[in-house]
Amino acid sequence: MKSSYKLCSFKRGLLASSMLAAGLTVPAGAAEAEKDTSFTLEEILVTAQKRTESLQDVPISISALGAEELEAMRVMGVDDYITSIPNATYITAGAYWGQNVTLRGISDFSGGRYEVISVMVDDMGFGAINSNSILSAQFWDIDRIEVLRGPQGTLSGRNSMGGAINIITAKPSTENYEMKATLDYGRFDTFLGKLTVNVPVSDTVAVRATAYTEQADGAIKNIGPAGGSSSKDNYGGRAAVRWTPNDRLTLDASIAYEQQDRGSEPFILRSFFDEDFQEAQVTALESWGGVYLDDVDFYADVGNNGGKVKRDVYEYTKITDWIASFEAAYEFDNHTIQLLYGHFSYEIDYQEDYDQTEYSWWKTTRNREVKTDTAEFRISSDYEGAFNWVAGASYLKETQDNDQIDWIGIWATQGGTPRYAGEGGYTPAYRGLSNDNMKSIGFFANAFWDISSSLHLSAGARYSIETTQFGSKFNFDTANLNPDFVSPITDADLRPEAKIKKFSPRIALNYDLTENATVYAQFSTGYRAGYGNDAQSVSVGAPEKVLPEKLINYELGYKAQLLDNRVNVAAAVFLMDYTSLQVEELLDPALNPFPFNIYYDINAGKAQSKGFELEAEALVTRELVLDASIGYTKATIKEVTLDSVDYTDVGMPNVRPWTVSLSATYTKPIKDDIEGIIKLDYQYQDSLQWRGVLPDPRFYVDAYNTVDLSIGLQTDSWTVTAYFENVLNEKYHSAVGWETVGFRGPLLYTEPRMFGIRLTYKMGGQ
């Protein structure tokens, strides 16, 4: 069933791609008849190479989403836009466990303490240790988002092997007063209110402020004893100021605060009732000290039940985050000096019914705190000649503290069978603390040389010096009812610092075929930081240090503006060699003194990822715009050794081989200044294996297709839009989790059909 479904889904994707490709071919007669210079696509400017350039001139495979496009997509978080990017995959295991982005097959798929996709806000990197924190933050006033595929080690530094996501916020303007208000109401009693105001205080000072509130009942209801739902009650705000005391100096500062108060994760359960799995679950529970006096009821009659679940624990996620930034830019006649600083703090409190049943088996509580300070000093040239450059130094300090407690039903320590609805309560059985620190200093330079009128060189390198330090401690004690049975981490618990020095070169050549078409070749590199295993793992056989991962990318690309700038096309093929994989290893049970599995990380084997991506945008008529993207990735672990067993040619997890995104937007004048808008979006996401190096049917996620539709009316001042997401109500999974007790099977999230209406009013501005 899986293979036939996948084939059918992919054929539908190819059919839609072919239809759109046909639409991109504007008849020759039409092209000749309408040579109106105003009838063109707008130029897209990006800062991927730390200077402002046209997207068409940058020798990097990059997707850029502007403010209007983000508004049309109703983007609030990474999950709202990332699947529209070719060769990008998004999987979530919940707010605490991770929101995982894969670019070109590179992700944090098994082992590895640090990230492989760099996430930046206004060119400042956050989330080197764990990008789930910065990806959990929502953004409400965005100028554009740039997604760079392939290693970005030269300009983005550490932990950008797979690529980089740069979120650029809207800046205050002294030109015009602007006010924009949005009200949105949708299914599941979902409400969003958002207000943005830009105020020119004087000729040199402007202030911009945004606030939002969002509430929803959620699609998943807990009909078990604890009640609750996948609800949300979020709010936040951002204030920014710009001061230009003279024509040369620009000062920008901003601060944002957000509070997210969410209910349970929107998970359902996939049946998994084979006898081997049940036996493994019983063994796991008994290892915690339980003695079963009676047969265990596997509750087989309760499994999958759509949007309803039965849990005896009230689940919640509470997130608080702050983001602050400062930038000073001074323009000389031929040079610009920039000083940038960013601060990010994040705290999450989380509680989950870990067994996902109405019986008191296992619950877990988690707390994570992240603090990041990052700064960069940058100098760039602006010569009239053929040669220019950018150079600078960057600094990052990031810490992450985790505190986790696992609780089991008291019945498990006394002997007996699971009790309903938390009868008898829970006892703390496990507590673990960890502290992770990273400090990074980087020195970078990149040169831009127009060798001739047609041949252009971009080349540079970064020298990075990083230190990482990690410490953890845990205790297993089912008899101690005091959850504070682990003392805080001290310096004595931290592993010795792991220090690395890395040189990350990059070189790219552009050759202009015509004034509006170029081909490029790029060689780029990236790495993921190394670290030390925790002391308790080392004491039972783990290696003291894990070496950095390394990645080399070879890329050929083509970019063009065709048919009088009515069609934009970008294509690339790539081959990436990946060495020193950081993978998770299971400690030999014979050496394990603890009643649960112990894992640690090792360096093992090498991998390769290759494929292509194609993006196109076409202004077919004055009313019709078509967008298309398609990506293909074949990512393979060539060699890996796990548990003393050698494996070859294993498919890399967390990779969707094919991704397709198609969009058509039709705008038609109706009366006076009123226009009608119809937008149709289609996406195909291939199947994937989520976690671990070796295939596991519990973590298999099917391919899916979705169709979204929006219909609206707009004037210069207001827009009203009715939207329908997942119009065909296809049952597909955008998340996956796991179970180790409870006999309910893996956790998944099925996106329901969503519909609503959005009203936007704006005044002022340009």
Side-chain angles (χ1 to χ4, degrees):
M1 288 294 293
K2 289 179 180 176
S3 59
S4 62
Y5 170 78
K6 176 179 175 181
L7 180 61
C8 178
S9 298
F10 184 56
K11 284 182 177 178
R12 282 188 280 171
L14 285 180
L15 176 60
S17 300
S18 301
M19 294 171 62
L20 187 56
L24 291 176
T25 307
V26 180
E32 291 297 324
E34 297 187 64
K35 289 199 173 180
D36 183 352
T37 56
S38 65
F39 179 34
T40 61
L41 293 168
E42 293 185 4
E43 182 182 30
I44 301 174
L45 300 178
V46 297
T47 55
Q49 297 190 114
K50 295 190 181 293
R51 65 174 191 165
T52 301
E53 300 173 279
S54 171
L55 176 64
Q56 295 291 326
D57 296 333
V58 179
I60 298 173
S61 183
I62 176 173
S63 299
L65 304 172
E68 291 186 5
E69 188 173 3
L70 294 170
E71 175 66 24
M73 298 168 68
R74 299 180 298 283
V75 168
M76 290 289 286
V78 62
D79 53 318
D80 295 321
Y81 67 83
I82 199 66
T83 53
S84 67
I85 306 298
N87 283 330
T89 293
Y90 172 80
I91 284 287
T92 178
Y96 183 85
W97 301 106
Q99 302 190 74
N100 193 285
V101 173
T102 302
L103 295 176
R104 288 184 171 177
I106 308 301
S107 72
D108 176 14
F109 64 85
S110 176
R113 182 161 295 137
Y114 304 119
E115 294 298 331
V116 293
I117 306 295
S118 175
V119 181
M120 299 176 287
V121 180
D122 293 329
D123 286 332
M124 302 306 297
F126 300 103
I129 295 175
N130 186 338
S131 66
N132 188 51
S133 53
I134 188 66
L135 290 177
S136 293
Q138 299 190 104
F139 296 93
W140 336 289
D141 190 21
I142 304 300
D143 182 66
R144 70 183 183 278
I145 296 175
E146 300 174 5
V147 180
L148 287 66
R149 293 176 290 274
Q152 304 297 319
T154 299
L155 295 175
S156 297
R158 79 283 169 277
N159 309 117
S160 58
M161 289 200 312
I165 300 171
N166 193 10
I167 301 164
I168 295 94
T169 60
K171 300 298 186 292
S173 171
T174 58
E175 297 297 323
N176 297 285
Y177 171 84
E178 179 184 357
M179 188 275 286
K180 185 176 182 180
T182 299
L183 295 175
D184 191 315
Y185 184 78
R187 191 183 181 192
F188 309 117
D189 206 19
T190 302
F191 171 79
L192 170 68
K194 184 169 58 173
L195 178 66
T196 299
V197 177
N198 184 91
V199 180
V201 179
S202 68
D203 291 340
T204 61
V205 177
V207 175
R208 189 177 183 94
T210 299
Y212 93 101
T213 181
E214 181 184 27
Q215 293 92 34
D217 288 345
I220 308 296
K221 307 296 182 184
N222 181 10
I223 61 174
S229 67
S230 57
S231 61
K232 54 186 173 183
D233 185 2
N234 308 330
Y235 63 89
R238 176 177 179 269
V241 60
R242 167 167 284 189
W243 180 31
T244 53
N246 54 55
D247 292 340
R248 294 182 179 270
L249 179 62
T250 301
L251 301 174
D252 282 298
S254 69
I255 186 168
Y257 169 80
E258 180 179 44
Q259 180 74 47
Q260 297 185 42
D261 190 350
R262 295 160 48 174
S264 60
E265 299 290 357
F267 289 135
I268 62 170
L269 298 164
R270 183 166 63 183
S271 297
F272 202 90
F273 294 111
D274 65 85
E275 293 182 0
D276 290 340
F277 182 75
Q278 292 179 1
E279 183 179 352
Q281 300 292 63
V282 172
T283 300
L285 272 176
E286 289 178 341
S287 72
W288 287 70
V291 179
Y292 298 102
L293 304 180
D294 301 305
D295 292 336
V296 177
D297 176 7
F298 289 104
Y299 322 121
D301 60 328
V302 184
N304 269 341
N305 53 4
K308 297 179 180 179
V309 296
K310 283 190 175 182
R311 300 165 185 163
D312 73 301
V313 174
Y314 183 78
E315 299 183 315
Y316 61 81
T317 300
K318 298 180 185 297
I319 297 174
T320 302
D321 63 74
W322 292 86
I323 301 177
S325 67
F326 172 79
E327 179 180 353
Y330 190 87
E331 297 183 10
F332 295 91
D333 291 340
N334 301 113
H335 301 88
T336 298
I337 295 178
Q338 293 171 274
L339 176 64
L340 302 94
Y341 168 77
H343 172 80
F344 176 62
S345 66
Y346 171 93
E347 182 175 4
I348 179 171
D349 287 301
Y350 179 87
Q351 178 168 283
E352 180 183 355
D353 186 346
Y354 212 54
D355 58 80
Q356 298 289 304
T357 74
E358 64 271 42
Y359 289 79
S360 55
W361 295 54
W362 188 359
K363 74 172 182 178
T364 183
T365 55
R366 300 286 191 266
N367 174 270
R368 176 188 295 136
E369 294 184 26
V370 177
K371 292 183 179 179
T372 309
D373 288 283
T374 180
E376 184 167 299
F377 177 75
R378 188 188 308 167
I379 305 176
S380 56
S381 70
D382 186 19
Y383 305 141
E384 294 184 0
F387 185 81
N388 277 284
W389 52 269
V390 59
S394 64
Y395 171 80
L396 176 138
K397 179 182 179 181
E398 187 162 282
T399 62
Q400 176 176 279
D401 292 286
N402 282 300
D403 185 352
Q404 59 187 59
I405 304 176
D406 287 338
W407 313 69
I408 61 173
I410 291 177
W411 60 269
T413 66
Q414 299 173 344
T417 56
R419 296 177 184 171
Y420 180 74
E423 293 174 357
Y426 289 86
T427 178
Y430 169 90
R431 189 174 190 193
L433 303 175
S434 67
N435 174 261
D436 212 333
N437 300 271
M438 171 181 280
K439 294 180 181 178
S440 175
I441 298 175
F443 303 93
F444 63 88
N446 202 88
F448 311 92
W449 180 25
D450 296 328
I451 300 172
S452 69
S453 60
S454 300
L455 186 61
H456 316 279
L457 172 70
S458 173
R462 174 185 290 260
Y463 182 70
S464 302
I465 305 171
E466 291 188 352
T467 56
T468 61
Q469 192 170 34
F470 177 78
S472 70
K473 58 192 334 183
F474 57 84
N475 193 17
F476 170 80
D477 187 355
T478 60
N480 193 333
L481 298 181
N482 178 10
D484 298 322
F485 56 94
V486 175
S487 59
I489 290 179
T490 65
D491 290 342
D493 300 311
L494 296 174
R495 300 296 298 149
E497 286 188 340
K499 189 170 185 177
I500 62 171
K501 299 178 181 179
K502 293 295 297 180
F503 181 71
S504 304
R506 167 185 175 264
I507 185 169
L509 277 171
N510 290 59
Y511 181 76
D512 297 333
L513 301 173
T514 67
E515 182 180 356
N516 296 313
T518 187
V519 293
Y520 70 87
Q522 180 184 205
F523 168 87
S524 56
T525 59
Y527 71 96
R528 173 158 64 160
Y531 50 90
N533 276 309
D534 64 82
Q536 286 170 307
S537 297
V538 171
S539 69
V540 291
E544 289 195 2
K545 292 185 178 180
V546 182
L547 300 176
E549 292 183 335
K550 305 173 186 177
L551 190 142
I552 296 175
N553 175 54
Y554 307 92
E555 182 175 327
L556 296 174
Y558 168 78
K559 295 185 178 184
Q561 296 174 311
L562 308 174
L563 300 178
D564 296 326
N565 293 344
R566 297 178 208 170
V567 176
N568 289 337
V569 177
V573 294
F574 61 89
L575 171 66
M576 299 193 292
D577 288 324
Y578 193 177
T579 57
S580 299
L581 296 183
Q582 298 169 356
V583 299
E584 193 174 64
E585 176 85 295
L586 173 65
L587 177 66
D588 184 347
L591 303 175
N592 185 4
F594 301 102
F596 46 84
N597 290 334
I598 296 293
Y599 294 91
Y600 57 88
D601 288 349
I602 62 173
N603 290 104
K606 57 185 180 180
Q608 187 180 85
S609 181
K610 56 186 177 182
F612 70 87
E613 51 241 356
L614 170 66
E615 292 183 279
E617 180 184 20
L619 189 59
V620 180
T621 68
R622 293 183 182 277
E623 294 83 19
L624 180 62
V625 178
L626 300 179
D627 291 273
S629 73
I630 183 170
Y632 173 74
T633 300
K634 183 178 181 180
T636 306
I637 301 174
K638 294 295 186 180
E639 299 174 4
V640 67
T641 301
L642 293 173
D643 304 327
S644 301
V645 179
D646 296 330
Y647 299 92
T648 59
D649 296 328
V650 179
M652 198 177 294
N654 210 10
V655 179
R656 298 186 187 272
W658 288 96
T659 59
V660 177
S661 180
L662 310 173
S663 177
T665 304
Y666 184 75
T667 306
K668 181 70 174 179
I670 296 177
K671 182 180 179 181
D672 298 330
D673 64 341
I674 301 176
E675 293 181 323
I677 303 175
I678 299 177
K679 189 174 190 295
L680 182 67
D681 298 287
Y682 167 85
Q683 285 188 6
Y684 171 80
Q685 292 276 304
D686 211 343
S687 59
L688 62 77
Q689 175 77 29
W690 178 48
R691 295 288 294 178
V693 174
L694 303 179
D696 188 331
R698 290 177 299 169
F699 301 145
Y700 180 87
V701 181
D702 288 315
Y704 68 85
N705 300 268
T706 59
V707 176
D708 300 336
L709 173 67
S710 63
I711 304 173
L713 298 173
Q714 71 175 14
T715 69
D716 291 339
S717 301
W718 57 264
T719 303
V720 58
T721 304
Y723 58 85
F724 307 86
E725 298 174 357
N726 192 13
V727 173
L728 304 180
N729 203 31
E730 179 163 352
K731 294 183 179 180
Y732 69 95
H733 303 130
S734 61
V736 65
W738 63 91
E739 294 272 78
T740 53
V741 292
F743 316 110
R744 288 297 173 81
L747 302 170
L748 298 134
Y749 178 34
T750 298
E751 297 275 5
R753 178 188 288 125
M754 183 69 182
F755 49 82
I757 189 165
R758 170 171 289 205
L759 175 64
T760 300
Y761 176 78
K762 60 183 179 180
M763 58 183 295
Q766 296 181 349

